[in-house]
Amino acid sequence: MTGPGSSGGGRPTGGGRKYTLKRPPVSRSGGLAYEDELNPQQLDVVMAGGGPLLVIAGAGSGKTRTVTYRLARLVEDGVRPESILLLTFTNRASREMLHRVATLIQYDVRRIWGGTFHHVGNLILRNHSALLGFGQNFTILDREDATDLVSDCIRLAGVDPKEKHFPKGRVLESLLSFSADTDRGVADAVMDRAPYLADRIAEVEGVAEAYRTRKKEIQAMDFSDLLTQTRALLAGHEDVRALYQERFRHVLVDEYQDTNKIQADIIDLLGGGHKNLTVVGDDAQSIYSFRGAHFENIITFPDRYPGARLFRLEANYRSTQPILTLANASILHNRRQFKKELATTRGAGPLPALVPCREVLQQADFIAQRILELSDEGIPLSEMAVLYRAHYHSMEVQMELTRRGIPFEIRSGLRFFEQRHIKDVTAFVRLVACPADELAWKRALKLLPRIGEATAARIWNVLRAQEDPLAFACGGGAEIIPRGARESWEVFRGLIADLAGLGRPGKEGGGGVPLPTEMISLVLERFYESYMEAAFDNAPARVEDINQLAEFAMQYESPETFLSDLALMGSVAAEGTAPGGTEAPEESVVLSSIHQAKGLEWRVVFMIWLTDSHFPHQRALADPDGEEEERRLFYVGLTRTKDDLHLCYPMLESDSRRMGVFSRLSRFVSELPEDLYERWSLEEDTAPARGEDAPPQGEGGPPWEVESPKKGDSPQRTLSRPADPDEPDGLRYEYDDDF
DNA sequence: ATTCGGAAAATTTTT
DNA sequence: TTTTCCGAAT
């Protein structure tokens, strides 16, 4: 039997197929047998009554399990599910927790309010937006929309971008949202984040003002607004606040260490009456300060809530002791923290490996080969992950895995819903659902030939003046279209007419307005597919994406819900589409940024690019607290590992001009005692590849190959084993084992 | 005045 | 790989 906290228990490992149907452990009284399933620390949290609770939950200490059981316990004790609010950091977390509660108890847990702050804020705001001067169907600006709008505002504010480079929309947008998320003035944020702009603060504030105005005009909220407006609503309207305080009798917050000031205020407002507030977090895993995460929230919780009870979960069910020892030693270098020492319940295991590689290509080579070997040993691919600081660190690994046909799944970089073609198609849904959506109209219009920025703006000016822009657009309006665009305009307006359900009498009896999924198919067939064929060289792949989007849209009946969920959807394609349904169809290795990996675990973990300037990242070090946050990030990466940890780094990297440059091992590794890990050394198999199908790369190699990478003062002993005849041009790695 | 094509630049982390 | 900037063409 698996202990508490361990995930998937009865996974079949051999060839045979054996299913273990787990049934909820039930006590004699008919309820859940909590004391059998939880350790004493966890049990305390689950059984604790109301009032403010602070739970410091170390990595791998069964936090999700504890929260899940607490939710179940509340419901079993007669708390109505709809009066529970569960606030999480990602959509995935809330889905997972609620799903797990559902397997524990019979009640309909879908009635529990659960989701991210942004999601819940959105739901609340839709009901009361008029109080804030917004209509009910305001649109949500994602990062790109917001950036475009800020760019507009820079022009609008009449700033001359040429004289002393004024920041681009992208930079300014992140500055403004940082200012909002940290609840500080624009000037403050500038001094902190972009001191080089000190003498242009007035201009930045001008842009910020214009941005605020524009958002009101076009009835839009960006991500930060979803939080600040929710707070404003609750703080400024006593009746609304009372309504939600009454509705949510219990509030549970996950990842409390990563909440920002606004989020903490929202929690305080919601929990202000009854104070049945459970906040769970780990200060050592606070890694979102760039997004405004406010460390103080968790530190000062006991002060803000006198009488709050403090719980600690320090038993780690995930990792072997060598991994925890390493992680504990690492985090010890941080000054600001609650001292805590994670201890394993699992016992000993192999030492973590430090793997110096010649350069990134060899790093990728090593990882691919090692993955294959571990796979041969029976470890499923889905139990292995490659973790990195920044998305582009994964490029070489991606290429190598592809080359060897190892299936993998990427959890970083551009999210599915942010890709250009996805946003193009959804623009059509947006403008039909909300004909006042200026950004959507312009985006769609600019897809037509001979229509660019200027013409799109002109057309919009005509449209906005209409009583019913949709009908007008469909009715004609050809006068305002430039000659060169007339032909495609006909297609365009026919499409809009059908999307709006104006063209045809509803044949599925639904009144003629198509469902979101139908709209997407329609846009694809009638217009966008041919557009893509002309515009992209990988059109078929993108058609596939859009079909997947249509698939995803099937679960929605109203375009409005579809659109807001889309905007708030952080996850990548594969998830979200199948909640609880079919599992991943194919076993695959996970490639993930460490940020995305938080809360997850694998038997085998490779952390790559561990050189100073990549990890810790150069740019993060500019901030005085940057190093500690980077170290926490490193700590998060380490503690994802159950059994086998590989710390990899290239000894040579190329700088911007393709010059070979020695890299320095990350300080996060070099500051650790050397007996906590073992050093492997890679040897290229020098035997010539058999046959003439020699490596296509040629043997010339990069210029730095001459320089032997045997630097470093620690003498390394390599035990060469006889070459494996089955592995012709493989890489051999050996390690010092001091017996 | 606008659009469009090619060249150059830029990539930390996320709701 | 995608966005942004700039000059040529319409």
Side-chain angles (χ1 to χ4, degrees):
Chain A
M1 191 48 218
T2 56
S6 74
S7 59
R11 174 188 290 281
T13 48
R17 206 160 258 273
K18 194 164 67 179
Y19 275 94
T20 311
L21 273 181
K22 276 216 257 184
R23 59 187 61 198
V26 173
S27 76
R28 256 169 308 171
S29 59
L32 282 169
Y34 295 98
E35 48 307 313
D36 296 344
E37 291 296 305
L38 301 162
N39 72 28
Q41 291 177 317
Q42 294 171 334
L43 191 64
D44 281 348
V45 176
V46 169
M47 292 305 179
L53 315 179
L54 169 61
V55 182
I56 301 291
S61 62
K63 180 193 66 171
T64 303
R65 185 183 192 82
T66 307
V67 173
T68 307
Y69 271 82
R70 180 164 173 84
L71 286 170
R73 205 273 298 164
L74 287 171
V75 175
E76 275 201 337
D77 279 358
V79 177
R80 285 157 50 240
E82 55 269 33
S83 67
I84 298 176
L85 174 64
L86 172 66
L87 290 166
T88 60
F89 200 67
T90 63
N91 293 297
R92 191 184 60 214
S94 71
R95 253 202 322 270
E96 186 189 335
M97 286 187 190
L98 293 182
H99 179 72
R100 279 165 71 166
V101 178
T103 64
L104 289 179
I105 53 176
Q106 304 302 323
Y107 297 84
D108 183 7
V109 294
R110 278 172 309 179
R111 291 178 2 223
I112 295 179
W113 275 55
T116 62
F117 285 86
H118 295 83
H119 178 72
V120 171
N122 177 46
L123 293 180
I124 293 179
L125 286 170
R126 296 279 168 191
N127 292 329
H128 311 278
S129 47
L131 293 175
L132 298 160
F134 277 89
Q136 206 207 341
N137 49 2
F138 58 85
T139 53
I140 298 172
L141 302 177
D142 67 12
R143 185 79 191 277
E144 191 198 332
D145 296 329
T147 301
D148 289 349
L149 201 59
V150 170
S151 298
D152 279 354
C153 293
I154 294 175
R155 261 167 275 154
L156 222 66
V159 177
D160 180 10
K162 295 230 173 73
E163 126 194 34
K164 276 180 70 184
H165 6 267
F166 197 72
K168 298 278 181 299
R170 195 176 164 63
V171 176
L172 210 50
E173 192 277 332
S174 72
L175 206 55
L176 293 181
S177 67
F178 183 73
S179 144
D181 288 341
T182 49
D183 206 17
R184 300 150 68 195
V186 173
D188 239 20
V190 168
M191 293 313 289
D192 186 8
R193 270 299 220 35
Y196 65 95
L197 278 175
D199 52 338
R200 306 193 75 176
I201 284 180
E203 285 166 289
V204 175
E205 280 177 330
V207 176
E209 183 56 41
Y211 180 53
R212 254 193 305 279
T213 314
R214 287 287 286 140
K215 281 189 292 190
K216 262 277 170 54
E217 270 173 28
I218 68 174
Q219 292 283 298
M221 295 199 199
D222 62 21
F223 287 143
S224 306
D225 290 331
L226 290 176
L227 302 179
T228 51
Q229 299 281 17
T230 300
R231 181 180 65 174
L233 178 73
L234 294 172
H237 299 271
E238 203 174 326
D239 49 333
V240 179
R241 181 168 70 244
L243 177 70
Y244 288 101
Q245 284 182 349
E246 186 59 31
R247 174 171 306 172
F248 303 126
R249 304 302 301 167
H250 286 266
V251 180
L252 288 88
V253 186
D254 188 28
E255 307 281 14
Y256 190 67
Q257 78 283 354
D258 279 326
T259 52
N260 63 31
K261 185 68 172 54
I262 321 284
Q263 290 166 322
D265 288 347
I266 291 173
I267 297 166
D268 292 348
L269 286 163
L270 286 174
H274 48 71
K275 297 208 169 30
N276 292 327
L277 201 53
T278 306
V279 303
V280 185
D282 179 5
D283 56 298
Q285 295 186 68
S286 174
I287 53 176
Y288 281 96
S289 73
F290 69 92
R291 218 175 83 184
H294 193 58
F295 209 57
E296 309 300 322
N297 288 342
I298 196 165
I299 306 283
T300 63
F301 186 84
D303 305 329
R304 284 183 290 124
Y305 288 90
R309 277 176 291 165
L310 173 70
F311 298 87
R312 281 168 193 272
L313 306 179
E314 285 179 301
N316 178 296
Y317 291 98
R318 178 184 296 150
S319 312
T320 58
Q321 192 56 48
I323 289 160
L324 289 184
T325 306
L326 191 80
N328 284 332
S330 176
I331 202 67
L332 209 60
H333 287 87
N334 274 9
R335 286 169 167 270
R336 302 183 64 204
Q337 59 174 317
F338 287 132
K339 285 278 184 293
K340 72 170 96 47
E341 181 93 6
L342 290 182
T344 184
T345 61
R346 292 193 48 206
L351 276 182
L354 176 64
V355 188
C357 306
R358 195 192 324 117
E359 19 70 358
V360 277
L361 297 177
Q362 196 186 47
Q363 181 179 252
D365 230 20
F366 163 72
I367 287 167
Q369 184 179 323
R370 180 81 177 136
I371 286 172
L372 287 178
E373 287 176 6
L374 290 166
S375 172
D376 283 348
E377 287 172 23
I379 298 179
L381 293 180
S382 56
E383 277 291 344
M384 303 187 222
V386 181
L387 304 183
Y388 37 84
R389 174 69 181 83
H391 177 57
Y392 71 90
H393 292 165
S394 69
M395 292 308 163
E396 290 81 8
V397 175
Q398 285 183 44
M399 281 159 53
E400 189 56 31
L401 294 183
T402 307
R403 202 172 69 77
R404 302 207 192 199
I406 303 173
F408 63 92
E409 182 187 336
I410 300 192
R411 305 263 186 86
S412 62
L414 245 204
R415 264 141 291 295
F416 181 74
F417 299 113
E418 289 171 359
Q419 296 177 91
R420 191 189 140 189
H421 49 287
I422 300 295
K423 298 207 61 183
D424 283 345
V425 170
T426 48
F428 285 86
V429 183
R430 279 169 64 180
L431 66 86
V432 170
C434 175
D437 191 330
E438 175 178 340
L439 299 178
W441 274 106
K442 285 184 175 168
R443 179 166 199 130
L445 285 167
K446 280 193 281 187
L447 295 173
L448 300 178
R450 310 299 310 165
I451 296 184
E453 199 68 51
T455 312
R458 212 163 42 229
I459 297 174
W460 166 248
N461 272 329
V462 176
L463 285 175
R464 75 195 301 190
Q466 305 303 317
E467 182 80 6
D468 183 350
L470 277 179
F472 179 81
C474 300
E479 321 67 73
I480 54 170
I481 308 300
R483 263 192 221 102
R486 294 266 164 90
E487 203 176 321
S488 47
W489 172 257
E490 289 306 314
V491 178
F492 183 83
R493 78 193 182 108
L495 174 60
I496 301 287
D498 286 354
L499 289 175
L502 299 173
R504 48 172 201 183
K507 49 182 166 183
E508 24 252 302
V513 180
L515 295 168
T517 181
E518 296 169 327
M519 291 192 198
I520 291 162
S521 308
L522 219 50
V523 174
L524 182 64
E525 286 163 29
R526 294 270 291 281
F527 172 72
Y528 200 64
E529 186 162 10
S530 58
Y531 172 86
M532 284 199 296
E533 278 161 7
F536 307 119
D537 49 12
N538 61 345
R542 294 182 195 236
V543 171
E544 236 351 271
D545 281 351
I546 293 168
N547 283 327
Q548 207 180 335
L549 179 70
E551 179 90 10
F552 171 79
M554 294 237 257
Q555 48 184 314
Y556 294 93
E557 282 181 23
S558 99
E560 287 80 10
T561 328
F562 168 64
L563 290 170
S564 31
D565 275 15
L566 207 57
L568 296 174
M569 187 75 64
S571 61
V572 213
E575 345 175 283
T577 44
T582 48
E583 300 299 87
E586 189 181 24
E587 291 265 300
S588 53
V589 178
V590 169
L591 270 54
S592 173
S593 69
I594 299 177
H595 282 91
Q596 289 264 18
K598 189 156 77 157
L600 305 178
E601 59 181 24
W602 295 271
R603 279 163 73 176
V604 178
V605 166
F606 299 87
M607 286 177 75
I608 61 175
W609 261 118
L610 296 177
T611 69
D612 251 40
S613 85
H614 285 94
F615 198 171
H617 196 278
Q618 193 67 58
R619 289 179 61 172
L621 294 176
D623 182 34
D625 295 328
E627 187 187 278
E628 295 216 343
E629 171 137 337
E630 294 282 292
R631 191 177 283 106
R632 289 194 291 268
L633 193 57
F634 183 65
Y635 176 81
V636 169
L638 297 177
T639 52
R640 299 309 93 202
T641 318
K642 297 193 213 168
D643 299 321
D644 281 322
L645 174 63
H646 306 79
L647 304 170
C648 309
Y649 73 101
M651 291 182 288
L652 289 159
E653 57 192 278
S654 39
D655 67 6
S656 50
R657 281 210 280 277
R658 285 210 213 146
M659 299 284 286
V661 169
F662 281 109
S663 35
R664 219 174 67 216
L665 174 60
S666 168
R667 66 189 69 179
F668 297 151
V669 178
S670 55
E671 72 194 6
L672 296 172
E674 290 198 13
D675 58 339
L676 295 189
Y677 55 87
E678 63 192 8
R679 183 183 290 264
W680 293 12
S681 83
L682 301 187
E683 274 179 13
E684 204 89 38
D685 190 342
T686 47
R690 76 169 157 221
E692 274 68 50
D693 46 350
Q697 306 248 3
E699 207 45 273
W704 53 70
E705 187 135 72
V706 192
E707 206 81 36
S708 167
K710 278 206 177 116
K711 61 159 196 161
D713 33 25
S714 56
Q716 33 183 287
R717 183 165 54 90
T718 33
L719 312 170
S720 287
R721 283 178 299 185
D724 184 349
D726 290 339
E727 197 56 58
D729 58 344
L731 209 56
R732 244 185 301 288
Y733 42 89
E734 346 260 310
Y735 46 92
D736 311 348
D737 34 5
D738 297 300
F739 292 126

